Amino acid sequence: MAAVLTAGAIAIAMATPAPAVPRGPATVASSDARASQDAQDTPFTRKLTADLLAHMQRLRVPGAIVSVSTPAHGTWTTALGTADLATGTPISARDHMRVGSITKTFTGTVILQLVQEGRLALDKPVAAYRQGVPNGGRITIRQLLQMTSGLYNYAEDPRFNRQLDQHPERYWSPQELLDIAFRHPVYFPPGTGYHYSNTNYVLLGLIAEQVTGRPLASLLRERVFEPAGLEETSFANGRSIPRPHAQGYMFIDNVDSLTAPVLTGKDAAWADWSAGNPRNATRDNASLAWSAGAAVSTVDDLRRWAKTLATGTLLSPAVQRERLTFVPTSDLPGAPTYGLAVANILGYIGHDGEIPGYNSFMGYDPATRTTIVVLTNLNQSPDGTAPAIELTKQIIDQLTPQDSAALS
């Protein structure tokens, strides 16, 4: 299970052009894919559709749902490719998909609402709310939200990933996930660095439950999904996904994804040719991510949520200002910055997500009032890239070419 902020690892190595190599089994989008009803037939959308289909072919993406909203072009939503490789069923813009770490924006919003209500304090130590956390007397709620706690990311544990590959149906309790993390030393003293860690958000989910006495699923529904009008979004912490949904696929298993490089040139061509058929991961147990990644949503809901998140509709202006206080994620040019359960990616305020079978991106740019949402039913391409991020780059290239160049 890949566990980093995907958009934070976008830098791609230079390489020679790929040779002509026979492709592996066909598991890619069809050029006769149908767009949703509100898609507009304009030169912009025709060019973008062609580019997206070409990149889906290259990335071996079975299906993708894409939505772009701008003042100039309006809202354009399209579904491209296949929802189910076994039946050939076309993907639909109404399909549900797991959204992985976009869940963190929901969990983080609940935490910030509790801060707003005076039931939590951003700069109070975690030990005030939960015992047994390494450095718990020094790590603050803010540092958990901002990925600066230094706590080990349980999703990087090799034994855990082997168990995910061998028993994808297994249920994991939040405490089991924390136990894995706490067996490892911390990365750095609190507040002295950045390291993306699902452990932070499992802790935050448990703290939210403890403070309120309410299950996390109820908190998310009552405090986020219903107030934001997210009628098709749910916390699906198990093996089931609401219907209709796209099947989710994996080429690279969880163990290999820990060290899978981003390949280019001959290496990428060989990886594509030798990839074989992907594994159907639709019913892998999402409890592996709990409050860090078990939500399910649709493109329409995420388009609505991206703007709500970026503009702070569910928070006070003061708390929203805290949320949008960002730290760098790396020294790479154009790398995202990270706030309180939200990323800033080239001015797009939002998040990406990856969980077995699915990859996603959503973002809203307040300066241009542009929203981009991309959902794919493949979590990682054979060349090691994140398909939703790669398709997002193509969209940004058409909207603002200079921004796309910064992503490369």
Side-chain angles (χ1 to χ4, degrees), residues 47-110:
K47 173 69 164 58
L48 184 53
T49 299
D51 286 350
L52 291 173
L53 283 167
H55 279 81
M56 289 172 67
Q57 292 276 349
R58 180 180 67 82
L59 299 167
R60 302 287 294 278
V61 178
I65 306 170
V66 175
S67 185
V68 183
S69 298
T70 73
H73 299 289
T75 295
W76 177 76
T77 301
T78 190
L80 304 170
T82 305
D84 188 332
L85 292 174
T87 65
T89 303
I91 201 164
S92 165
R94 296 182 298 276
D95 282 343
H96 296 80
M97 292 211 205
R98 296 198 180 277
V99 297
S101 287
I102 289 176
T103 306
K104 292 178 174 69
T105 66
F106 303 137
T107 301
T109 298
V110 170

Side-chain angles (χ1 to χ4, degrees), residues 5-14 52 55 58 262 264 329-330 332-337 343-349 351-352 361-363 365 372 374 385-408:
L5 177 67
T6 311
I10 289 176
I12 298 174
M14 298 296 292
L52 291 173
H55 279 81
R58 180 180 67 82
V262 174
T264 55
T329 61
S330 80
L332 293 171
T337 54
N344 184 331
I345 305 168
L346 295 174
Y348 284 85
I349 308 300
H351 217 287
D352 66 332
F361 172 85
M362 64 155 203
D365 182 353
I372 299 174
V374 178
T385 55
I389 295 299
E390 294 301 305
L391 297 182
T392 298
K393 288 163 62 177
Q394 299 308 309
I395 296 167
I396 293 177
D397 186 46
Q398 292 234 18
L399 295 172
T400 51
Q402 67 275 16
D403 285 350
S404 179
L407 280 170
S408 300

